[in-house]
Amino acid sequence: MGSLIKISPSVLSADFSKLGEEVVSLEKAGADYIHIDVMDGHFVPNLTIGPEVIKKLRPLTKKIFDVHLMISPVDNFVKDFANAGADIITFHPEATPDVSKTIKLIKEHNKKVGISLKPKSKIDLIKDHLNQIDLVLIMSVEPGFGGQKFMPEVLEKTKAVRELIDKNNLNVDVEIDGGINFENCSKAKNAGANILVSGSTIFKENKGDLKRNIEILRNN
Ligand code: DX5
Ligand code: ZN
């Protein structure tokens, strides 16, 4: 697949005491996107960063901010994340009472729309929205923490989503997120993912050689 594969490093595994420098390092290391995990301690049992931090990171890089909202409710924060500089705003369908309304709201702010499926979330939650969104984020771990083990059972769902997109000639990216490493990245691509999120593998492998780790994930 070559350069068709995009790598979106997750800053959840970065050093939060110097997040700005880490984002600049990721750009220099060849990241295609910057994956920013937003957690509210309600939808998931962890708490990370909000729009104010994203606003401060925005001027440091031109790279696409791939913002993964693990928050509920969602709608009341869409404007803040859009104004903070998110480029892709991805939400969980279980986090909003009206998926179509949330999609419309994100589009009204001229941002790309992603919907994320947790490992146990069914494809039925998104199949009616595929023609309105830009990206499906398949979680291969339970959302909330980096460094967890990849759940191979989501590969079937990844294939099914990719088939649905291709069958309907839609231009929707499939991003996979959670426990992606040098061993399973090719399986994720073969299942139809064209964007790989990775936090711990990129920041920890090869003594934290970001450039090398991004290249290995992209080329294997
Ligand atoms: C988990 C986050 C993932 C996570 C990926 O809730 O959505 O993006 O940071 O980190 P690794 O690659 O370490 O699983
Ligand atoms: Zn994520």
Side-chain angles (χ1 to χ4, degrees), residues 10 12-13 35 37 39 68 70 139 141-148 177-180 197-201:
S10 163
L12 187 65
S13 300
H35 188 80
D37 287 308
M39 301 179 188
H68 178 192
M70 288 159 276
M139 299 251 16
V141 295
E142 281 304 324
F145 300 91
Q148 300 178 79
D177 181 8
I180 296 290
V197 174
S198 164
S200 39
T201 292

Side-chain angles (χ1 to χ4, degrees), residues 22-42:
E22 297 274 73
V23 166
V24 173
S25 305
L26 285 170
E27 170 168 11
K28 288 200 178 95
D32 295 291
Y33 294 177
I34 306 289
H35 188 80
I36 301 174
D37 287 308
V38 177
M39 301 179 188
D40 65 359
H42 167 64

Side-chain angles (χ1 to χ4, degrees), residues 92-211:
H92 284 259
E94 300 93 337
T96 175
D98 184 336
V99 171
S100 300
K101 186 167 169 268
T102 302
I103 292 170
K104 192 163 161 290
L105 188 57
I106 295 170
K107 287 183 154 178
E108 278 164 7
H109 287 88
N110 302 313
K111 300 301 176 183
K112 285 188 181 287
V113 186
I115 299 188
S116 181
L117 291 177
K118 297 192 282 190
K120 294 185 180 60
S121 300
K122 297 276 174 270
I123 196 169
D124 295 351
L125 284 171
I126 60 160
K127 70 179 189 327
D128 298 338
H129 303 291
L130 275 181
N131 58 355
Q132 302 147 20
I133 63 176
D134 304 283
L135 177 140
V136 176
L137 174 57
I138 306 273
M139 299 251 16
S140 32
V141 295
E142 281 304 324
F145 300 91
Q148 300 178 79
K149 198 171 166 335
F150 180 76
M151 298 166 70
E153 57 268 36
V154 307
L155 290 172
E156 275 317 302
K157 182 171 29 171
T158 307
K159 278 192 196 110
V161 168
R162 173 53 74 191
E163 273 158 24
L164 213 46
I165 291 168
D166 292 351
K167 191 175 72 182
N168 293 288
N169 286 319
L170 298 170
N171 181 20
V172 178
D173 286 320
V174 177
E175 184 175 76
I176 193 160
D177 181 8
I180 296 290
N181 60 33
F182 300 151
E183 286 68 46
N184 60 37
C185 60
S186 54
K187 287 194 197 86
K189 293 174 207 175
N190 295 339
N194 67 297
I195 306 174
L196 306 184
V197 174
S198 164
S200 39
T201 292
I202 287 178
F203 279 94
K204 296 191 175 35
E205 293 296 331
N206 295 307
K207 298 194 185 69
D209 182 339
L210 303 177
K211 186 168 171 34

